[in-house]
Amino acid sequence: STQSTGDHHMFFSGLRQFFLLLLSSSVLSKNQLREDITVIGHRGAPYFVPEHTLASYALSIREGVSSVEPDLVLTKDSKLVCVHDIELSGISDVADIPGFRDREKTVTLNNGHNLTGWFVNDFTLDEIKTLRVKQRISSRDRFYNGYFSIPTFEEVLQLVRNLTDELHVPISIYPELKHSIYFENSSLYFDDVLLNALEEYGFNITGETAKTQLVGIQSFESTQLKRLRLRSDLFLAQLISTPNSIQEDTLVIYEEMITAKGLEDISQYADAIAPWKGLLYDFVSEIKELYKLHDSLKGKELVDKAHEKNLLVQAWTLQNPYEDPILVKYFSGQKAEEYRFLYNLGVDGVFTEFAGDLFFIETLFY
């Protein structure tokens, strides 16, 4: 029966989580991973626990990531919270709360696209804290839906500090600033609140040590990164999406960033590029069709040219086969083969949603 199937799902899901958490009770030492590749826990460990929760970040740390990656957005009262996007109904129960039903609306983004839903900048932090998080992708394990709240950036900073002390392993924090131009249109800005939070937790914003600390900042929006460069010496990474996508702030296609000139421009304000991994797969016919410029760089050529400009290369995102048709078609669904391919290209880091698997892949191949 349907009820029986649901009960079995809950039972095996819960059993699975028990063994996962048992397995992760001691951290996998960073020196067990390749030290020349930074392993970045993309949104925590979202296959097993809803993304951007303290539990998800903690599990990824115990699985052995080098770095935790919270997405940051701004509340109505200018507080930093960890959410993948500006719209809340996809990751929380906001649509089910009677007191919030009248806040559904449609907004027009800077790129001209309309989006309908409940938007984080219409809620105070106190209101955000009443929400409960669920899996954003329905095919992922839903056992922990409703268990956790949306964390603040300060709570994540404290978590990383606590686990660093407990596990005696250096763990960096690598926040991504989401949709800066959207918030600026509502007179909300990341700059002061972000830098103040980092200073409060002991990070140097300027000076020789700022770039070598266990912290970095990412953004798809170059204007945001350029402003931060004027005010800080922090490690900054320019995220790069699919070649035919349009940058939200400048409305320029991302393909322009992966030319020699584009990389030279990025090197003036950033320390790394974080490209969509498809830009490194120059053998994939579906991706080749996305390019329009004759001088765009692809594959190893892109990695090597970025290194010439003193830019690190960190590719996103390593996923499971049932969410990644390229992995299935070109790597036979074998995560180990994809990781080995990227390593041989010379990338400096990978964003992954299965850090525990990467450790076992390392033990098999290296």
Side-chain angles (χ1 to χ4, degrees):
S1 68
T2 303
Q3 179 64 42
S4 176
T5 301
D7 290 343
H8 287 158
H9 169 77
M10 291 292 285
F11 172 77
F12 286 111
S13 179
L15 192 64
R16 181 184 185 194
Q17 300 313 318
F18 171 78
F19 284 113
L20 277 167
L21 294 171
L22 186 65
L23 176 66
S24 68
S25 61
S26 61
V27 73
L28 302 172
S29 169
K30 185 182 175 185
N31 63 21
Q32 292 174 292
L33 293 163
R34 280 199 172 273
E35 294 187 355
D36 47 355
I37 288 190
T38 300
V39 179
I40 303 156
H42 189 244
R43 308 176 192 169
Y47 284 105
F48 312 119
V49 184
E51 65 185 32
H52 295 304
T53 58
L54 293 179
S56 188
Y57 298 136
L59 181 57
S60 72
I61 290 170
R62 293 184 181 277
E63 285 182 327
V65 298
S66 316
S67 187
V68 170
E69 188 246 12
D71 290 341
L72 298 184
V73 294
L74 287 159
T75 66
K76 185 177 183 178
D77 45 351
S78 292
K79 305 299 183 184
L80 291 170
V81 293
C82 303
V83 175
H84 170 62
D85 213 335
I86 55 177
E87 202 282 313
L88 295 169
S89 66
I91 57 91
S92 78
D93 60 354
V94 64
D96 301 324
I97 299 176
F100 294 152
R101 285 177 185 161
D102 63 347
R103 299 200 197 178
E104 184 182 21
K105 68 180 185 182
T106 299
V107 301
T108 301
L109 303 178
N110 200 51
N111 58 14
H113 295 160
N114 290 330
L115 184 62
T116 299
W118 287 259
F119 295 89
V120 63
N121 55 309
D122 290 330
F123 294 79
T124 65
L125 177 59
D126 286 345
E127 290 172 328
I128 290 289
K129 281 295 187 180
T130 67
L131 305 178
R132 287 296 173 267
V133 178
K134 65 182 180 181
Q135 285 283 18
R136 186 173 56 85
I137 298 173
S138 61
S139 59
R140 294 181 175 180
D141 200 318
R142 292 170 286 169
F143 182 80
Y144 287 114
N145 280 5
Y147 275 74
F148 305 113
S149 63
I150 294 172
T152 65
F153 183 44
E154 289 80 2
E155 288 172 331
V156 179
L157 286 167
Q158 189 62 52
L159 172 73
V160 172
R161 175 184 286 180
N162 291 346
L163 287 178
T164 297
D165 292 343
E166 175 190 338
L167 302 169
H168 308 291
V169 174
I171 306 157
S172 65
I173 189 161
Y174 202 13
E176 178 189 342
L177 307 184
K178 305 289 291 189
H179 304 288
S180 297
I181 191 67
Y182 168 80
F183 290 109
E184 290 166 21
N185 289 337
S186 299
S187 299
L188 294 168
Y189 295 85
F190 281 109
D191 308 51
D192 286 341
V193 64
L194 171 71
L195 297 178
N196 289 343
L198 292 175
E199 281 190 310
E200 184 177 332
Y201 274 80
F203 292 105
N204 296 320
I205 303 304
T206 58
E208 294 181 3
T209 63
K211 208 177 296 292
T212 58
Q213 301 170 109
L214 294 174
V215 65
I217 310 296
Q218 324 158 53
S219 178
F220 282 102
E221 295 170 75
S222 56
T223 52
Q224 173 68 78
L225 292 172
K226 288 174 181 177
R227 279 208 312 270
L228 287 174
R229 176 54 71 228
L230 291 174
R231 296 185 55 181
S232 81
D233 297 314
L234 294 167
F235 184 93
L236 303 179
Q238 174 67 62
L239 289 157
I240 302 175
S241 189
T242 55
N244 58 341
S245 297
I246 297 174
Q247 199 179 12
E248 193 173 349
D249 54 340
T250 64
L251 304 182
V252 170
I253 61 169
Y254 280 102
E255 189 175 0
E256 293 190 13
M257 287 188 166
I258 56 169
T259 63
K261 180 181 184 304
L263 292 176
E264 174 62 32
D265 291 344
I266 292 171
S267 71
Q268 302 305 304
Y269 62 86
D271 305 287
I273 60 169
W276 170 55
K277 65 183 182 181
L279 300 177
L280 306 179
Y281 299 166
D282 54 2
F283 54 87
V284 176
S285 58
E286 296 95 322
I287 296 174
K288 289 180 182 179
E289 296 172 359
L290 302 177
Y291 294 98
K292 302 299 180 187
L293 305 179
H294 72 278
D295 56 347
S296 55
L297 303 166
K298 310 169 188 69
K300 186 165 177 55
E301 186 181 24
L302 174 58
V303 175
D304 291 345
K305 183 62 70 173
H307 286 162
E308 284 181 24
K309 302 296 182 182
N310 294 316
L311 293 166
L312 299 183
V313 180
Q314 301 166 331
W316 55 271
T317 301
L318 304 189
Q319 296 175 299
N320 271 333
Y322 64 84
E323 290 182 11
D324 190 345
I326 288 177
L327 176 60
V328 173
K329 183 173 181 179
Y330 293 96
F331 296 97
S332 302
Q334 300 300 311
K335 292 179 280 187
E337 294 303 319
E338 183 178 36
Y339 177 53
R340 182 159 56 177
F341 174 81
L342 288 169
Y343 176 78
N344 289 336
L345 277 186
V347 301
D348 306 286
V350 290
F351 292 79
T352 181
E353 296 182 343
F354 51 90
D357 279 7
L358 281 189
F359 167 74
F360 292 111
I361 289 168
E362 292 272 353
T363 63
L364 287 172
F365 284 102
Y366 304 105

